């Protein structure tokens, strides 16, 4: 008789947890996976996927305008928010079904319940009160929007979670935050015809991105009609007598809008999981502390994805899950590689980036060569749109190695994926120079910037 009910118990049905559970089950392990809401996690249910669908929807107004420059006569257009929500929900349901099917086909047991740790090997299923045991446990419960409970009136505001299910499209919205979620939703709502204001405490949006990308996107958003307020924060939110909300800011502004959205970061989803009872250590933010193999302070309990607060990206959680499988079930200790992760901000225009920003690189390398191009993309010539693309390579002058690549403009995310392969392989600027251009494309600028725009020595531009 087996000592435990399961070889592996996974808490959390997001991308990391599902991947770990599905692959372990395919190897013949007795696996159960518990999820209290819907399978697919933040990414599929209330994050990347529905957000990208909203991004596509919000771009059509500009597409209709641009068509005239290419000879098309587009008639009067209207937008139906409820139809978009229904179509999005249908697609999310389809994707959730695929996640569940993958688990079922490989023999994993699906448990639709919240699961909490009782001790280091025992899990309580809260829906029934039943307890089960497992030899190994994976915690992959993700993160949740920070509700900013210190803000008076925070209960009147929405987060990105609720933004996907609003019964009506607001006429106006105030979005608090300067990270990628705030920026993306500001562009989405504006593109759908909502009067949009973004408020951020910092001096510029997207604090961890290269300064050229930050400033270029800021300028583009303002030119589109999005209002951006910097170095200010919301101090309280109240209901207006005539309806809607009123937000007062630290700098004395009063902003009346239909909706206030808080996009002020995400917190690890660890409350009430029973981590203390199991002996699992967390840090001051509530994130589960893990070693390089994703192992917690309890040797047979692992944690993956956003709940560890390492890198909050879906592909990273999946990668960590595969490393867990290699380490635990294939006798091949494999630490997740968190270096040179390509990423994108699906703003309008997009940002795609991999490697170091100029600011970060200047702290690591004595001398840099910066290659930068700013130009009007070909697509904008006949449409008459004034938008610009920015492309940038950050190069270590001593080794000629490309340590950062950044692009602002159409399809930036697609470019970042391919640039990520190149930088991961250790590409040098000479490799870029001897690569033939694909003409006419925007991406060809990356292989035709032969001379540095400027150099940076000991942190100073020369």
């Amino acid at each position: 008789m087996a000592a435990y009910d399961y070889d592996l118990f996974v808490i959390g049905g997001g991308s990391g947890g599902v991947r770990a559970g599905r692959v372990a089950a395919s190897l013949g392990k007795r696996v159960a996976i518990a999820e209290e809401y819907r399978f697919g996690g933040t990414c599929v249910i209330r994050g990347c996927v529905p957000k990208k669908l909203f991004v596509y929807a919000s771009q059509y107004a500009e597409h209709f305008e641009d068509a005239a420059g290419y000879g098309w006569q587009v008639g009067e257009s209207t937008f139906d928010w409820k139809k978009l929500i229904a179509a999005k929900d249908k697609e999310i349901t389809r994707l959730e079904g695929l996640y569940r099917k993958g688990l079922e086909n490989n023999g994993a047991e699906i448990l639709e319940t919240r699961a909490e740790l009782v001790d280091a090997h025992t899990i309580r299923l809260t829906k029934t009160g039943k307890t089960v045991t497992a030899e190994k446990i994976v915690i992959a419960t993700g993160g949740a929007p920070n509700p900013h409970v210190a803000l008076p009136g925070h209960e009147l505001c929405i987060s990105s979670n609720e933004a996907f299910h609003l019964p009506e499209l607001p006429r106006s919205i105030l979005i608090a935050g300067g990270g990628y979620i705030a920026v993306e939703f500001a562009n989405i709502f504006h593109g759908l015809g909502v009067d949009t204001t973004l408020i951020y405490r910092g001096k510029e949006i997207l604090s961890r991105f290269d300064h050229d990308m930050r400033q270029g996107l800021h300028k583009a958003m303002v030119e589109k009609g999005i209002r951006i307020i910097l170095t200010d924060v919301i101090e309280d939110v109240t209901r207006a007598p005539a309806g809607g909300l009123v937000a007062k800011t630290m700098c004395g502004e009063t902003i009346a809008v239909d909706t206030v959205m808080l996009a002020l970061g995400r917190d690890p989803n660890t409350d009430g999981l029973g981590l203390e009872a199991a002996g699992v250590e967390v840090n001051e933010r509530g994130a589960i502390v893990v070693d390089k193999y994703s192992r917690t302070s309890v040797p047979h309990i692992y944690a993956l994805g956003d709940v560890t607060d390492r890198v909050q990206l879906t592909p990273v959680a999946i990668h960590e899950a595969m490393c867990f499988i290699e380490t635990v079930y294939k006798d091949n200790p494999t630490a997740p590689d968190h270096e040179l992760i390509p990423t994108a901000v699906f703003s309008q225009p997009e940002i795609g980036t991999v490697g170091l920003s100029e600011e970060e690189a200047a702290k690591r390398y004595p001398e840099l060569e910066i290659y930068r191009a700013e130009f009007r993309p070909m697509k904008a010539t006949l449409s008459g749109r004034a938008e610009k693309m920015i492309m940038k390579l950050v190069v270590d002058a001593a080794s000629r190695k490309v340590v950062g690549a950044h692009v602002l403009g159409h399809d930036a995310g697609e470019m970042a994926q391919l640039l990520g392969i190149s930088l991961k392989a250790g590409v040098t600027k000479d490799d870029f120079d001897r690569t033939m251009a694909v003409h006419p494309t925007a991406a060809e600028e990356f292989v035709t910037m032969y001379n540095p725009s400027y150099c940076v020595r000991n942190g100073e531009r020369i």
Side-chain angles (χ1 to χ4, degrees):
M1 183 176 177
Y4 301 102
D5 297 317
Y6 300 101
D7 299 317
L8 174 66
F9 195 100
V10 180
I11 303 176
S15 296
V18 167
R19 179 62 64 91
R22 177 173 63 78
V23 178
S26 75
L27 298 174
K29 304 302 177 183
R30 296 171 302 142
V31 176
I33 180 168
E35 170 56 51
E36 64 180 311
Y37 181 48
R38 298 179 68 182
F39 282 83
T42 296
C43 178
V44 173
I45 306 301
R46 51 191 174 270
C48 327
V49 173
K51 174 197 67 184
K52 189 70 178 288
L53 295 174
F54 278 18
V55 168
Y56 287 140
S58 68
Q59 291 174 337
Y60 277 94
E62 286 191 359
H63 293 338
F64 296 147
E65 291 177 1
D66 292 350
Y70 287 87
W72 288 92
Q73 294 297 320
V74 179
E76 182 180 355
S77 61
T78 60
F79 172 68
D80 190 323
W81 172 254
K82 287 184 170 62
K83 284 188 176 180
L84 173 61
I85 295 295
K88 178 266 297 181
D89 288 345
K90 182 178 179 180
E91 175 61 8
I92 298 312
T93 298
R94 184 187 73 84
L95 292 174
E96 181 186 10
L98 293 177
Y99 269 63
R100 296 174 68 102
K101 186 176 180 180
L103 289 164
E104 291 167 348
N105 287 350
N106 284 284
E109 182 179 351
I110 292 175
L111 302 170
E112 298 182 51
T113 176
R114 179 178 175 83
E116 299 172 357
L117 296 172
V118 176
D119 58 39
H121 284 285
T122 308
I123 307 100
R124 178 188 297 111
L125 310 180
T126 62
K127 192 172 185 179
T128 62
K130 178 183 177 182
T131 59
V132 296
T133 59
E135 179 183 9
K136 291 182 172 59
I137 297 170
V138 162
I139 303 170
T141 49
N146 185 332
H148 202 44
V149 294
L151 172 68
H154 71 276
E155 69 281 359
L156 303 175
C157 306
I158 67 167
S159 71
S160 57
N161 287 357
E162 293 77 38
F164 293 115
H165 302 284
L166 291 174
E168 302 289 342
L169 185 67
R171 292 165 299 177
S172 57
I173 190 168
L174 172 63
I175 301 176
Y180 75 93
I181 294 174
V183 166
E184 288 172 339
F185 271 102
N187 282 274
I188 287 169
F189 280 113
H190 174 265
L192 295 177
V194 179
D195 182 4
T196 303
T197 300
L198 183 71
I199 184 169
Y200 179 50
R201 65 183 179 181
K203 295 181 179 179
E204 186 56 276
I205 58 174
L206 297 174
S207 61
R208 291 188 292 274
F209 286 76
D210 185 90
H211 68 87
D212 279 319
M213 303 298 107
R214 302 169 68 193
Q215 293 169 1
L217 177 59
H218 183 146
K219 181 180 178 182
M221 289 173 64
V222 170
E223 288 175 350
K224 287 174 184 286
I226 299 171
R227 185 186 180 204
I228 298 178
I229 303 171
L230 297 175
T231 63
D232 201 357
V233 296
I234 300 173
E235 286 204 323
D236 70 76
V237 179
T238 57
R239 290 196 185 278
L245 301 173
V246 175
K248 294 182 180 179
T249 78
M250 179 184 66
C251 294
E253 279 211 56
T254 299
I255 304 171
V257 290
D258 286 344
T259 303
V260 176
M261 176 177 168
L262 303 181
L264 300 168
R266 294 178 63 82
D267 298 329
N269 189 18
T270 54
D271 286 349
L273 281 181
L275 300 178
E276 185 177 354
V280 175
E281 181 185 355
V282 298
N283 66 15
E284 66 282 355
R285 294 196 66 245
I288 296 177
V289 177
V290 293
D291 67 10
K292 66 178 182 178
Y293 297 111
S294 300
R295 185 168 41 221
T296 72
S297 53
V298 180
H300 62 271
I301 300 179
Y302 292 74
L304 310 172
D306 292 2
V307 77
T308 68
D309 203 26
R310 287 178 287 184
V311 180
Q312 296 185 13
L313 293 170
T314 298
V316 173
I318 294 171
H319 171 63
E320 290 169 0
M322 295 308 296
C323 291
F324 161 78
I325 293 293
E326 290 291 326
T327 300
V328 175
Y329 293 123
K330 294 190 176 182
D331 196 27
N332 178 32
T334 304
D337 181 359
H338 293 127
E339 293 296 317
L340 290 171
I341 298 172
T343 190
V345 180
F346 293 107
S347 49
Q348 298 172 46
E350 288 180 13
I351 291 175
T353 183
V354 59
L356 302 176
S357 67
E358 178 183 328
E359 296 81 3
E360 291 171 325
K363 297 174 183 177
R364 297 195 193 185
Y365 299 97
E367 186 169 350
L368 301 172
E369 293 177 351
I370 306 298
Y371 297 79
R372 186 187 186 281
E374 183 171 351
F375 57 95
R376 192 180 185 191
M378 188 175 183
K379 184 180 180 181
T381 56
L382 296 190
S383 70
R385 198 166 292 281
E387 66 186 46
K388 295 289 184 70
M389 291 193 76
I390 301 175
M391 295 187 173
K392 184 173 183 179
L393 294 176
V394 181
V395 179
D396 170 30
S399 66
R400 300 282 290 162
K401 188 175 181 179
V402 179
V403 297
H406 313 279
V407 55
L408 172 74
H410 289 294
D411 299 320
E414 305 291 341
M415 294 185 213
Q417 179 65 84
L418 300 179
L419 288 164
I421 299 170
S422 300
L423 268 65
K424 201 69 172 175
V427 68
T428 67
K429 183 60 173 65
D430 297 329
D431 295 322
F432 273 78
D433 291 345
R434 63 171 176 260
T435 299
M436 198 71 72
V438 178
H439 182 75
T441 65
E444 69 180 295
E445 290 291 331
F446 275 120
V447 298
T448 57
M449 296 187 288
Y450 298 114
N451 298 310
S453 303
Y454 56 90
C455 296
V456 176
R457 184 176 297 152
N458 297 323
E460 299 292 330
R461 184 183 294 198
I462 58 175

